[in-house]
Amino acid sequence: MVSQRGAAQSRDRFLRWCWVSGTAVVLLVLALLSPLDQSTREQIAMAAIAAAGVAAAISCAQRAARSTGRRRRAWFLLSLGGVVGLAGNVYSGLVGDPETGDAAYIAALLLGVVGLSLFPAVRPRGQELVRMLLDSIVVGGSVLYIALFAVALQADTPYAEPALTAYALPVVDALLATLAVQVMTRSNIAERVPLVLVGGGFVLYAVADVAFALLSAAGGFTFGSPVDAAWAGGYIAIALAARHPAASGSPVVDRAEHGTPVLGTVVTFCLFLAAALVRVIQSGNQTLPAVANALWVAVLVAVVARQILVVVDNESLRHGLERRVQERTTQLRSLASERERTLESVADGIYGVDPDGHVTFVNAAAAYTLGAPASDLVGRDAHATFHAPGKDGTPLPADRCYIAEALRDGVTVTAEQDVYLRLDGKEVPVEVTASPLRDDDVIRGAVVVFRDVTERREMERIKDEFVSVVSHELRTPLTAIRGALSLLDSDALDDSPEQAARMVRVALTSSERLGRLVDDILDTERLEAGTTQLELAEHPLGDLVAAAVDQVAVLADDAGITLEPAGTTEIVRADPERIVQTLTNLLGNAVRFSPPGSTVRVTAAPVGDLVEIRVDDEGRGIPPDKLEAVFRRFEQVDASDTRERGGSGLGLTIARSIVERHGGRLWAVSEGEGTGTSFRFTLWRATPHAAQPPERADDAATRVVVVDDDQYVVDVLRTVLEERGYDVIGLTDGRAALAAVEDEHPAAIVLDLAMPGTSGAEVLSRLRQSAATADVPVVVLSGTRPHDALETAALADDWLVKPVDPDRIVATVRDVIRRQPHHGRVLLVEDHEELRTVVATVLRNAGLVVTTASSVDAAREALAQGADPDLVVLDLTLPDGSGRELVADLRRDGRLRRVPLVVYTGAEVSRSDRADLRLGRTVFLTKGRAAPDAVLRSVLDLLDVAAGRAGDVGRPGQNPTVRNP
């Protein structure tokens, strides 16, 4: 609104200037035509010309100050030309030197030519500017030529040859007027008014200068005639042009319209033809002045030059246009090719439809998903072709289709769930996004992007099944635990101790099953996510197999199954704990599905750079179609197996994940039901290294006395025990054995009962009667069974029946030493109150002195009050900080920097974090996987190592991961 009001005010001011200027010109003409004397009219004319020139110069200068760019320079040159022309007029009038005044005026006009060439707001091309100047020469020369012949040469009075400047003035005037017309025809309508005024001003100059030339040739020109009004009018017209609102190039209309050179070309050649016609008519006249001939030659040269320039410009434009067309074609081809490559490289299906819903294009992914070549799909009705019918067989209404919504309503549909129908009849679940294609707010079609979600649906189904199965498997033992504890809590079984004990066993068994299930679920998720780190090292495969067999031995004995591991010398590169877990899962699975009295065999054989381990049973076997399915979560050959035979249904899944993480593979082989099953997996072989002799202890705590009447047996037992770090005294006589025990105070005795002289039974009786030797552990090694010598068996700590495996002897010796009362001090740091109470009770029942703390600050306070632990059991996640802070404190304490440490936490500790938690010997246990009994075993092992009472701590499968400082 404000801009429109300002434009209206500018137009009103311009109109007032026009009325004032027009009135002044009329009054000047009337004054020059009045009967005033000649001198008065001359003074009026000179004053009017001077005043008009000053007004033109000032107006152009003011407009230059308010303009920018090319328009500023144009108005500045016009102002300067006005000043130069005015100075020439004043000088000519005062001095009486017309030729000098004409020269100054020509210079002013040339400044006007340059100014007009700068008038277009957009700089014209060089060829266009030259053509405009040539057109101006043709028009101006033609007009002047016509004027000369039509006026001067048709007069009865002969003319004298005027000065050259007298002819030059109208030529330059005509050039300027024509140039103004050329610029005007190439400008928009809004800017034509000031250009018309500028051109009109130079036309008035031309008329006046032609009259001046003619009158000068006749010798009759004087100032004070109406000719002077044309000069003054020219100045006034230019001054008015500078006052127009569009003089600075500012738009005054909403829509700009560009001019065309056609009008200027038509005017140019019409005037040229008119001049040529005059030339033909006057061709018989022999009195043509030289100036007229020169003028005609100049016009002809300008016409020829113009046409040559037009031809050159057209050729240049044609070549440029061809080049641009070629470049644009190349760009369009590149864009089309890039779009096609983009569509073809996208994994999602994409197709387009026209306003009628027919397919216009299909990318490769869409064609693959829909099961047909793209050429067979283009042109089909998308809705009728792709949409599968509903569950009741009825087709989906077309007006409710997202394609119809996009085409009809312009609605963009995202994440629409749909089912597409392939051309072969197969249904494909998809997720669809449909968007309308718009062109100037008109819907021209739609683009549909869809994604095959078959795998996602399958994963959702598996997840739902997994959640359902886990929920059932968790609720079953929880229900049993709750029921058993409810009965015990209700005192209903107070009169039935046997039933109460049975309920306790039910609760214990169910809790163990629940713990195994949780551990197996966590193991499965960690292994599949790759977050479980393997501690790969070289280990004898025989030790790993023996460790797994030991763990399953009780289960096998209860089921009446014989475990038969074959010896092997292979060394594999593996994580011992994980491989023992794998073997335990496979052995436990084989025991559960084998009939009583059968045998489960474990064998190993090299296969190139790998070792193939086999666990063969004589059970019911697996149908061929189930050989791969049994490795899936909670998958069983028979749905009742989980209830009847136990297990979590995740053991084989975990075993396969562990083996694959080791770079091997696990598979099952079975001929069907009743043929047994062979589970086989591979591990990478490692180059065997020579066994390093264990560290030997000099303390009596590792000294063992071996007594047997057979020297060969003594030598064998000595070798076996010494390899495990024990200091062995071998004897074959009972009396010598009694003396050695009294002198050496050994940690344990291995005693044979059948000896000459003093028998083993007599030696054992005397040991128990002496206060100094009554507590020394004794392992009886005899060919008789314990129930055949009950009195002697009651005095022994353990009994082994010959023949016996050497490893069994070593394990028994270690166990009897360990069962000796411990009085070590343990600092237990655990924030969970119930778990802290259970672990502390287990440790105290083993004779240990336990100090408990529930936080980092409480542990620091216990240490400050004098607690000097022989071992620390530490949880890492505590309410006031991390267990790592306490480890850092212990490292700074000179007394405790090498204290043994058991890290007992809820999450597995990575290898990099374990290095930061190491004190003395360090064991890492995971809650849920390691029960409080496992904590006790690790604590006793570490205390025995610290006291020198054990020589094989860290055997695979027997103990958790142990790190030396």
Side-chain angles (χ1 to χ4, degrees), residues 60 116 142 331 333 359 433 494 523 638 890:
C60 292
L116 277 178
S142 298
Q331 291 176 358
R333 287 176 179 173
V359 179
T433 297
D494 288 350
D523 278 343
D638 189 334
L890 294 174

Side-chain angles (χ1 to χ4, degrees), residues 73-97:
R73 295 193 293 272
W75 286 115
F76 174 76
L77 291 175
L78 289 176
S79 175
L80 182 61
V83 173
V84 173
L86 179 62
N89 285 336
V90 173
Y91 178 82
S92 175
L94 296 177
V95 179
D97 184 3

Side-chain angles (χ1 to χ4, degrees), residues 528-584:
E528 291 185 356
T531 58
T532 300
Q533 295 186 356
L534 299 180
E535 297 187 1
L536 300 177
E538 297 179 4
H539 296 277
L541 181 57
D543 289 350
L544 303 179
V545 172
V549 169
D550 286 346
Q551 293 187 18
V552 186
V554 176
L555 177 64
D557 290 342
D558 293 341
I561 307 298
T562 302
L563 300 179
E564 189 177 289
T568 177
T569 59
E570 293 293 338
I571 296 179
V572 295
R573 181 169 178 77
D575 183 326
E577 184 178 353
R578 291 299 180 181
I579 295 303
V580 169
Q581 182 182 4
T582 299
L583 288 166
T584 302

Side-chain angles (χ1 to χ4, degrees), residues 670-695:
S670 179
E671 299 298 329
E673 295 187 8
T675 61
T677 304
S678 175
F679 284 94
R680 307 173 184 181
F681 67 94
T682 56
L683 293 174
W684 289 96
R685 303 174 68 189
T687 303
H689 297 281
Q692 298 295 327
E695 296 180 0

Side-chain angles (χ1 to χ4, degrees), residues 750-772:
V750 179
L751 178 63
D752 182 17
L753 295 183
M755 288 189 299
T758 305
S759 66
E762 187 178 353
V763 171
L764 179 56
S765 176
R766 291 185 181 183
L767 289 174
R768 293 296 180 245
Q769 293 173 3
S770 172

